[in-house]
């Protein structure tokens, strides 16, 4: 006879007291049973979340000893090679963390590695959302929040990288100031306000510190909480499969299975970051020395997520610089302004606007809870790869000096090569990716219609040898059959009224543009609509053809 174990009377009393006032029992039970789909790619967002938590904890530790001051002192700490060297209190306090605080260097390494992994997980997570169309209705707002988190994470990383006031970080701040100065009319005022005077001034580290530890983390925390609240309310997207529809979710309940898995994954993420921090040194500022405006360095690169801006600044030509004839002449430095502000603005602007652009092209305003397979949206996938290629070319261009020295290539030649690749690379990436997606669609149609090749050879009564195709699994059939033909209301008769008169808006410039974009977006599609899946009861289409014709198949 089993015995039911009850909670202690005191705890039951507290629980009943709270539930009588807030009615949390049913709500809590419902939320604990919420189902999350099972797929490894859904864990990418969790890696970003766990890295952010590690960033917050390690950042609090570092703030206990870091001094955000540019007051110059003479170093007399434990690191003998820099004793007697003039430096800022910010750099000296960072050396103190590294060499005098127990576990300080490890904690600073953990903070830096967690930042790199945080941004990397964000990027890969956003790519997964983009390529699967998980940004579509009703998740457009959550996509915009994700883009904002990505942009703030990059700015937060730039400011944190600059705080130690070492030579490479000082050069990064100098580049930041150069971009500010390139802004027409107000650039000099912005620079003087931020730096508190001429570069480098005495206030920039203090001001970046306030932004890095207070304002931007608060914004990030608020956006991340909003992101997960919306995700919780709208439910997670899922990949096509048996039993998975826009109204049905197949997966693991929140408690206990998903909670245990998520908890274990947090410790796994922390273990990877701690292992990298213990065995792979990053940003050894004691080897670089303090920043001095008269010193330069080579062979060093910014954190990977800022490499694209470094590359665009290196390869963008100065042919387009011009002077406005105001007074003695006002120069417009497009060689700094465009790569420093315009290109990042275009990248983030395209990311933010694409859900609405795609919705405008297709006219699709239905809610989507089942994700696309990337091959089934070849134009979207091709554009995503084109963006990756563009970003990657600029990222590689940020190390053109290292590539030139390593491979003994003329530095200016690498610049010209990257200029060509920045234009031709995305175009080739789009074309190749789209052709691959269409090829995969043809293969999927063949598999759905004729099954998969079994490797078994059979001889027909006619003497012909054929390979027996076997029936695909129910899961495969469901996945392949889930493909929906891309369509657009711009290509239907919805722009014609009952009397056959065309909508005047369709004849205007935007209407014509939408129709052309819709045709470009939907053409070349390989349809599987109305296709009967292979049943396994026939051997091959040639055998069926032979039986229909009443004879053998001639080759």
């Amino acid at each position: 006879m089993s015995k039911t174990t009850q909670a202690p009377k005191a705890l039951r009393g507290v629980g009943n007291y709270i539930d009588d006032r807030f009615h949390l029992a049913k709500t809590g039970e419902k939320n604990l049973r919420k189902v999350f789909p099972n797929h490894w790619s859904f864990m990418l967002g969790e890696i970003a979340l766990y890295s952010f938590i590690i960033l917050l904890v390690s950042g609090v530790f570092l703030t206990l000893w870091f001094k955000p001051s540019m007051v110059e002192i003479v170093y007399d700490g434990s690191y003998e090679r820099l004793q007697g060297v003039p430096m800022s209190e910010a750099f000296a306090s960072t050396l103190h963390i590294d060499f005098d605080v127990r576990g300080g260097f490890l904690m600073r390494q953990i903070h830096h590695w967690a930042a790199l992994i945080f941004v990397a997980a964000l990027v890969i997570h956003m790519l997964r959302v983009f390529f699967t169309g998980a940004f579509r209705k009703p998740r457009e707002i959550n996509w915009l929040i994700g883009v904002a988190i990505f942009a703030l994470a990059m700015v937060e990383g730039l400011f944190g990288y600059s705080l130690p006031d070492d030579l490479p970080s000082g050069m990064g701040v100098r580049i930041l100031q150069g971009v500010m100065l390139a802004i027409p009319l107000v650039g000099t005022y912005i620079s003087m306000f931020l730096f508190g005077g001429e570069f480098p001034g005495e206030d920039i580290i203090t001001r970046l510190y306030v932004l890095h530890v207070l304002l931007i983390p608060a914004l990030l925390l608020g956006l991340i909480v909003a992101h997960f609240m919306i995700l919780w309310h709208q439910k997670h997207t899922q990949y096509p499969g048996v039993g998975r529809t826009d109204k049905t979710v197949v997966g693991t309940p929140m408690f206990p299975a998903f909670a245990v898995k998520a908890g274990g994954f947090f410790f796994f993420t922390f273990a990877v970051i701690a292992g990298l921090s213990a065995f792979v040194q990053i940003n050894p500022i004691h080897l670089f020395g303090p920043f001095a405006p008269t010193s330069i360095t080579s062979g060093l690169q910014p954190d990977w997520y800022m490499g694209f801006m470094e590359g665009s600044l290196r390869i963008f030509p100065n042919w387009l610089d011009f002077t406005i004839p105001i007074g003695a002449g006002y120069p417009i430095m497009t060689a700094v302004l465009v790569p420093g502000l315009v290109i990042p603005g275009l990248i983030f602007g395209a990311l933010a606007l694409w859900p609405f652009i795609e919705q405008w092209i297709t006219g699709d305003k239905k809610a989507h809870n089942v994700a696309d397979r990337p091959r089934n949206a070849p134009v979207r996938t091709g554009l995503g790869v084109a963006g990756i290629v563009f970003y990657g070319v600029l990222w590689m261009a940020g190390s053109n000096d290292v590539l030139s020295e390593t491979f003994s290539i003329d530095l200016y030649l690498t610049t010209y090569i990257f200029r060509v690749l920045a234009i031709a690379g995305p175009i080739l990436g789009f074309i190749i990716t789209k052709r691959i997606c269409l090829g995969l669609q043809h293969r999927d149609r063949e598999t759905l219609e004729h099954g998969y090749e079994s490797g078994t050879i059979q001889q027909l009564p006619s003497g012909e040898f054929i390979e027996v195709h076997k029936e695909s699994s129910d899961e495969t059939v469901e996945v392949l059959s889930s493909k929906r033909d891309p369509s657009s209301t711009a290509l239907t008769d919805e722009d014609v009224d009952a009397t056959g008169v065309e909508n005047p808006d369709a004849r205007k410039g935007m209407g014509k543009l939408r129709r052309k974009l819709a045709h470009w977006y939907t053409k070349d599609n390989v349809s599987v609509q109305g296709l009967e899946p292979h049943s396994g009861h026939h051997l091959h289409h040639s055998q069926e053809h032979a039986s229909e014709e009443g004879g053998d198949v001639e080759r």
Side-chain angles (χ1 to χ4, degrees):
M1 182 177 180
S2 62
K3 182 179 180 181
T4 303
T5 303
Q6 293 184 346
K9 185 176 181 181
L11 291 180
R12 294 203 306 272
V14 172
N16 291 333
Y17 179 88
I18 295 174
D19 189 57
D20 287 341
R21 286 153 181 80
F22 300 102
H23 307 289
L24 297 177
K26 291 184 178 179
T27 303
E29 181 181 2
K30 179 181 178 181
N31 288 328
L32 289 177
R33 300 304 299 173
K34 183 178 287 290
V35 173
F36 286 84
N38 293 316
H39 195 275
W40 64 268
S41 64
F42 296 142
M43 308 300 287
L44 294 169
E46 294 189 35
I47 295 176
L49 173 64
Y50 302 151
S51 300
F52 182 72
I53 294 173
I54 296 170
L55 276 171
L56 292 179
V57 175
S58 59
V60 170
F61 177 91
L62 296 176
T63 57
L64 300 178
W65 287 276
F66 181 73
K67 296 180 180 180
S69 171
M70 296 186 70
V71 174
E72 187 176 278
I73 63 172
V74 177
Y75 181 70
D76 61 351
S78 301
Y79 189 60
E80 295 183 358
R81 294 180 62 184
L82 290 177
Q83 287 184 355
V85 175
M87 62 183 62
S88 65
E89 283 190 323
F91 188 80
S93 65
T94 307
L95 291 178
H96 176 73
I97 292 173
D98 287 351
F99 295 103
D100 297 303
V101 176
R102 187 183 296 273
F105 186 64
L106 175 63
M107 193 61 70
R108 193 171 69 83
Q109 294 264 113
I110 288 176
H111 192 72
H112 203 134
W113 273 114
L116 298 181
I117 294 177
F118 172 60
V119 181
L122 275 178
V123 171
I124 302 175
H125 173 64
M126 292 186 67
L127 289 177
R128 196 276 304 173
V129 172
F130 179 85
F131 285 125
T132 61
F135 54 79
R136 294 172 296 177
K137 185 181 178 180
R139 296 175 177 83
E140 304 97 329
I141 295 177
N142 229 11
W143 171 258
L144 293 178
I145 291 175
V147 173
I149 291 173
F150 181 30
L152 285 174
M154 293 183 64
V155 175
E156 174 79 341
L158 173 63
F159 291 171
Y161 179 82
S162 304
L163 288 181
D165 199 28
D166 59 302
L167 185 56
S169 68
M171 297 299 295
V173 175
R174 183 59 164 168
I175 294 173
L176 176 64
Q177 191 234 6
V179 174
M180 292 179 188
L181 292 176
I183 302 176
L185 301 179
V186 298
T188 53
Y189 297 98
I190 295 175
S191 175
M192 295 290 283
F193 172 76
L194 184 61
F195 286 86
E198 293 290 344
F199 180 87
E202 296 182 353
D203 300 327
I204 185 62
I205 296 298
T206 303
R207 292 174 177 179
L208 292 183
Y209 179 78
V210 173
L211 295 173
H212 180 72
V213 306
L214 184 61
L215 180 60
I216 299 180
L219 292 175
L220 282 172
L221 185 60
L223 289 173
I224 290 173
V225 171
H227 185 79
F228 276 93
M229 289 180 65
I230 295 175
L231 171 66
W232 192 275
H233 174 72
Q234 294 179 339
K235 299 182 178 61
H236 212 298
T237 57
Q238 57 185 343
Y239 293 117
V242 176
R244 301 167 187 172
T245 66
D246 287 329
K247 296 182 179 180
T248 305
V249 181
V250 177
T252 302
M254 172 66 185
F255 186 84
F258 187 82
V260 172
K261 181 172 67 174
F265 200 61
F266 169 79
F267 289 107
F268 179 78
T269 303
F270 176 73
V272 172
I273 293 175
L276 288 171
S277 304
F279 298 106
V280 183
Q281 181 175 258
I282 189 171
N283 199 26
I285 64 167
H286 54 280
L287 301 180
F288 306 146
F291 173 68
T294 56
S295 300
I296 60 174
T297 183
S298 64
L300 292 175
Q301 309 299 316
D303 285 336
W304 72 267
Y305 47 85
M306 297 302 298
F308 82 100
M309 185 180 293
E310 175 89 5
S312 61
L313 285 167
R314 292 190 182 194
I315 69 174
F316 197 87
N318 61 352
W319 310 329
L320 304 177
D321 292 351
F322 62 95
T323 301
I324 300 177
I326 300 177
Y330 193 93
I332 303 297
M333 308 300 294
T334 57
V336 178
L337 183 64
V338 172
L341 289 178
V342 176
I343 291 179
L346 289 176
I347 292 175
F348 285 100
L351 284 174
L353 293 177
W354 176 253
F356 308 98
I357 294 175
E358 182 176 301
Q359 187 179 95
W360 176 69
I361 293 174
T362 63
D364 182 8
K365 297 183 179 180
K366 296 183 295 184
H368 296 274
N369 294 322
V370 177
D372 281 338
R373 302 175 77 201
R375 67 186 65 181
N376 293 338
V379 173
R380 181 204 300 150
T381 303
L383 290 174
V385 172
I388 294 173
V389 172
F390 181 68
Y391 183 95
V393 169
L394 295 183
W395 178 76
M396 291 183 64
S399 59
N400 66 340
D401 56 338
V402 177
L403 295 173
S404 176
E405 180 182 3
T406 302
F407 297 102
S408 300
I409 305 174
D410 181 74
L411 179 62
Y412 294 102
L413 178 60
T414 64
T415 301
Y416 295 133
I417 291 174
F418 281 121
R419 285 175 180 174
V420 173
L421 288 178
I423 298 174
I427 297 175
L428 291 175
F430 173 82
I431 295 174
I432 294 172
T433 301
K434 184 179 178 182
R435 300 313 304 175
I436 291 175
C437 289
L438 293 175
L440 292 173
Q441 287 188 27
H442 281 287
R443 191 188 70 176
D444 289 346
R445 178 185 171 89
E446 182 73 16
T447 301
L448 184 63
E449 185 176 14
H450 301 297
Y452 67 93
E453 299 175 352
S454 65
T456 302
I457 304 299
Q458 186 170 349
Q459 184 179 16
L460 299 180
S462 63
E464 177 188 5
F465 289 92
I466 64 170
E467 182 179 18
V468 178
H469 284 214
K470 290 190 175 181
E471 182 180 5
S472 300
S473 65
D474 293 339
E475 182 73 16
T476 301
V477 171
E478 187 68 28
V479 170
L480 299 182
S481 302
S482 67
K483 180 181 181 299
R484 296 293 178 264
D485 293 342
S487 60
S488 174
T489 55
L491 301 176
T492 64
D493 294 331
E494 293 185 13
D495 290 328
V496 180
D497 61 19
T499 61
V501 179
E502 185 180 12
N503 186 344
D505 292 336
R507 296 195 298 267
K508 296 180 180 179
M510 293 301 294
K512 291 181 179 180
L513 175 61
R514 180 174 176 242
R515 187 182 294 273
K516 291 180 179 179
L517 290 175
H519 177 71
W520 170 69
Y521 191 86
T522 58
K523 70 176 182 177
D524 301 325
N525 175 64
V526 180
S527 178
V528 297
Q529 298 302 310
L531 192 66
E532 288 293 331
H534 177 78
S535 64
H537 298 301
H538 56 279
L539 299 177
H540 194 267
H541 62 85
S542 60
Q543 184 181 9
E544 287 184 339
H545 180 72
S547 60
E548 292 174 0
E549 297 293 332
D552 298 335
V553 177
E554 182 178 354
R555 292 189 178 276

